[in-house]
Amino acid sequence: MTNYARSAWRELISPLFRRPSLVQLAGLCHRTGPDGLEVLLVRSSRGRWILPKGWPIEGLGGAETALQEAWEEGGVSDGKPAKRALGHFQTVKRDDHGAEMRCETHVYPIEVRETQPDFPESDQRDPTWVSINTAIGMVEERGLKDILAEFAEAKAGKS
């Protein structure tokens, strides 16, 4: 292949075949329970334990979107989201037809003050509060496990 052809492939043609990752925003909802730090997990549509998360919402920033998702999927009616994401992790999302898409999920800590039993997706989700160590064992995504462990360590350092 000539230098011109290589350059054209690298700079013009190859980028057309690479799609950027999709982005979702998640809320790492936390509170102090009777036994210490607890986090909120919800069941995904495929039955896995995850953080409340969703696609960006027009007109809302990342933290506000994460808080909205925490309400819709977990019943968080009063929470204070951090202005900046704690971190992000990569996942592969599958649509109803089995197509796979790369997705980058940005995680915003949300200090939860109050929850409600009746919320928009209460018939589809199974929100549960668990210790952070239990949560690490329940979630499947390696990157989410790492973020939960990092959050636990940061919280322990502040105590």
Side-chain angles (χ1 to χ4, degrees), residues 57-134:
I57 299 172
E58 189 172 339
L60 297 182
E64 293 80 17
T65 296
L67 183 59
Q68 179 65 32
E69 293 298 330
W71 160 244
E72 291 176 8
E73 296 184 358
V76 174
S77 57
D78 186 9
K80 180 181 176 187
K83 294 183 192 300
R84 294 178 47 154
L86 174 65
H88 65 275
F89 63 96
Q90 299 287 324
T91 60
V92 174
K93 291 196 69 75
R94 286 173 192 77
D95 68 16
D96 293 338
H97 305 289
E100 294 184 349
M101 303 162 279
R102 288 182 303 147
C103 187
E104 184 173 282
T105 302
H106 296 255
V107 179
Y108 290 83
I110 299 174
E111 183 180 341
V112 176
R113 299 180 187 129
E114 188 174 342
T115 61
Q116 300 295 320
D118 188 28
F119 51 93
E121 296 183 22
S122 58
D123 61 334
Q124 303 165 34
R125 304 294 177 171
D126 185 18
T128 187
W129 287 94
V130 296
S131 74
I132 197 148
N133 289 331
T134 299

Side-chain angles (χ1 to χ4, degrees), residues 26-46:
L28 197 171
C29 302
H30 62 93
R31 68 182 185 189
T32 302
D35 296 323
L37 180 63
E38 296 179 333
V39 297
L40 178 69
L41 296 180
V42 299
R43 284 206 189 265
S44 73
S45 59
R46 302 208 188 286

Side-chain angles (χ1 to χ4, degrees), residues 5-21 102:
R6 269 191 222 117
S7 179
W9 173 260
R10 186 175 53 252
E11 296 174 22
L12 301 173
I13 299 168
S14 178
L16 296 174
F17 294 103
R18 282 181 286 173
R19 290 191 159 160
S21 293
R102 288 182 303 147

